[in-house]
Amino acid sequence: MPQILDTALDAVGHTPLIRLDKIAKANGFKCNMLAKVEFFSAGGSVKDRIAKAMVIAAEKEGRLIPGKSVVIEPTSGNTGIGLALACAIKGYSVIITLPNKMSLEKEALLRALGAEVIRTPTEAAWDSPESHIGVAQRLQREIPYAVILDQYSNVNNPLAHELTTGPEIIEAVVSTPSTSEHPSSGKVDVLVAGAGTGGTVTGIARAIKKTHNKDCIVVGVDPKGSVLAGSGSNSPSDNVQYTVEGIGYDFIPDVLNFEDIDHWMKTGDEESYAAVQQIMRQEGLLVGGSSGSALSGALRWLQSDDGQEIANTEGLNVVVLFADGIRNYMSKPWFLQIALEAEPSPMAGVIAGILGKEKTANVSVKLAETPASTSAAERKPSVTPSLPDPAARSASPQIVSH
């Protein structure tokens, strides 16, 4: 039964598990493809969960003092948004350090929630004083009562997913009956998730393997140019630059446990953004770039020698984590290209035949001349220093069909 929530923090998580039947059919898969869609969370991403968990734990430990503490966090944006949301409710000041390549929308949302935002060079190595991590550490040393909750090493990062995201996925799969239309093993057979800090894939994997299905196959997705999947042809030494946000790093975060991950897939920007368009056009889900990476990695793994048997078995459940929504990326050139420069649909020709070509000609969008497409990385860096989880929204979450 729906109830009144005390604050927006009570609306963190409890996101739907939605079938990707059209995408599965288009690829000839017999398995069930299911998306855990995290942009339905209060702050718009999977990172809301860890932000809430880290703040509540720090309060219990006495690290955060109401009226005094200043929360500082180096982030790709989504963890910062989650923290800014939590701290707006709880009354803490927030400072976010953010690499230049991260979207203008993320900075705007952070500032709207009352956070101070400091941009840092994207190319700075993680251990450089100029990096988002280095700048955060300097500020923490010099600002009284400043605390870095540190998503990269904080045990509450993977723990939040072990205690919430994973159990939600398990409950939805178990609670959804097997039918002739949608046969189901009743288990989570495969999990596919992108890796940034690695806390999400690590925590969900632990929940599934410890309490539900020890034989679940976990596939981590890492962008080309990142080191998380290991060295080799796709290592940073090849100078591969990726624009997808929120996944991949140039170091191994402490919260990433390789023992929880069975396979890795490397993805490129082009295939990731093509997958975003596929998700939007075929499934109606307005996801962000890293969700495209997760889907692209899932599709290629299911087509591989390791994944073909899963793909061809009716009733097996493959869960893909969609970390955030397109809200954070609407001014990015890659999104404007797939949204405004896509091939005309057949209906465009029908309309032109009725109204005349002069009224229906497609407008050519020149991204370099579109003010809204200017990314934060193209602007000068800004250096303005300016719990127990609530009851689930439904007693028995189930897989959602279109």
Side-chain angles (χ1 to χ4, degrees):
M1 179 181 298
Q3 295 183 345
I4 297 171
L5 304 181
D6 291 334
T7 73
L9 285 177
D10 296 326
V12 167
H14 310 296
T15 55
L17 193 63
I18 300 177
R19 296 188 188 278
L20 302 178
D21 285 353
K22 289 185 177 180
I23 290 175
K25 183 177 180 180
N27 286 274
F29 299 155
K30 295 180 180 179
C31 63
N32 299 317
M33 291 199 69
L34 313 170
K36 181 64 168 168
V37 186
E38 289 292 290
F39 66 71
F40 287 99
S41 184
S45 86
V46 70
K47 293 303 186 78
D48 294 349
R49 298 174 185 267
I50 74 168
K52 175 182 176 180
M54 292 193 300
V55 168
I56 290 175
E59 287 183 324
K60 290 181 177 178
E61 296 163 1
R63 293 180 63 203
L64 288 181
I65 304 170
K68 289 187 176 181
S69 293
V70 177
V71 174
I72 301 175
E73 189 71 16
T75 171
S76 298
N78 280 331
T79 300
I81 292 169
L83 285 172
L85 183 152
C87 291
I89 292 168
K90 290 179 169 289
Y92 298 109
S93 297
V94 182
I95 302 172
I96 299 299
T97 57
L98 190 70
N100 277 334
K101 88 167 190 178
M102 306 309 167
S103 71
L104 177 62
E105 288 88 341
K106 288 179 179 176
E107 179 179 343
L109 288 169
L110 286 163
R111 293 188 181 279
L113 288 165
E116 298 291 346
V117 180
I118 300 172
R119 291 285 192 162
T120 62
T122 299
E123 63 275 12
W126 70 273
D127 55 355
S128 164
E130 289 77 35
S131 72
H132 65 314
I133 295 175
V135 171
Q137 291 172 340
R138 177 183 174 184
L139 292 172
Q140 191 270 334
R141 290 192 299 266
E142 299 188 20
I143 295 176
Y145 300 103
V147 175
I148 296 177
L149 296 178
D150 192 9
Q151 61 179 319
Y152 305 106
S153 65
N154 195 313
V155 295
N156 294 289
N157 177 346
L159 188 60
H161 298 295
E162 185 175 349
L163 296 179
T164 69
T165 325
E168 287 174 24
I169 292 170
I170 294 167
E171 186 175 4
V173 169
V174 170
S175 299
T176 302
S178 179
T179 65
S180 57
E181 183 181 5
H182 289 117
S184 174
S185 66
K187 298 183 295 184
V188 180
D189 298 292
V190 178
L191 168 71
V192 183
T197 65
T200 301
V201 65
T202 295
I204 300 175
R206 286 175 180 169
I208 295 171
K209 291 187 175 186
K210 283 182 181 179
T211 68
H212 172 66
N213 179 15
K214 65 181 179 60
D215 297 320
C216 176
I217 300 169
V218 177
V219 181
V221 177
D222 187 40
K224 295 177 181 178
S226 165
V227 304
L228 299 185
S231 61
S233 61
N234 293 328
S235 67
S237 62
D238 296 310
N239 295 316
V240 177
Q241 299 295 318
Y242 56 96
T243 59
V244 68
E245 300 181 30
I247 58 174
Y249 271 108
D250 60 346
F251 71 102
I252 307 297
D254 292 341
V255 296
L256 173 58
N257 188 346
F258 288 96
E259 293 181 0
D260 294 313
I261 302 171
D262 302 299
H263 300 275
W264 284 96
M265 297 298 295
K266 300 290 285 190
T267 56
D269 286 338
E270 186 174 347
E271 64 183 292
S272 298
Y273 301 145
V276 168
Q277 186 176 43
Q278 184 179 14
I279 295 165
M280 291 180 177
R281 293 290 182 91
Q282 295 186 10
E283 304 291 356
L285 295 170
L286 298 172
V287 299
S290 69
S291 299
S293 300
L295 178 66
S296 177
L299 295 178
R300 284 202 287 107
W301 185 81
L302 288 167
Q303 293 162 352
S304 71
D305 292 340
D306 291 322
Q308 282 183 359
E309 184 176 352
I310 297 288
N312 293 325
T313 304
E314 280 192 356
L316 295 188
N317 296 306
V318 178
V319 175
V320 186
L321 187 112
F322 289 171
D324 70 359
I326 198 60
R327 175 198 69 182
N328 288 347
Y329 312 102
M330 293 184 71
S331 70
K332 284 290 186 175
W334 67 261
F335 173 67
L336 293 175
Q337 184 174 13
I338 67 173
L340 302 180
E341 294 189 341
E343 289 295 317
S345 69
M347 186 56 65
V350 174
I351 297 170
I354 297 171
L355 300 180
K357 293 183 179 180
E358 71 282 356
K359 293 185 179 180
T360 58
N362 289 329
V363 177
S364 177
V365 179
K366 297 181 179 179
L367 297 179
E369 298 176 8
T370 306
S373 71
T374 304
S375 69
E378 294 163 342
R379 299 181 295 114
K380 291 185 178 179
S382 169
V383 291
T384 307
S386 0
L387 23 130
D389 293 306
R393 289 176 187 154
S394 64
S396 298
Q398 297 190 343
I399 298 168
V400 180
S401 299
H402 293 292

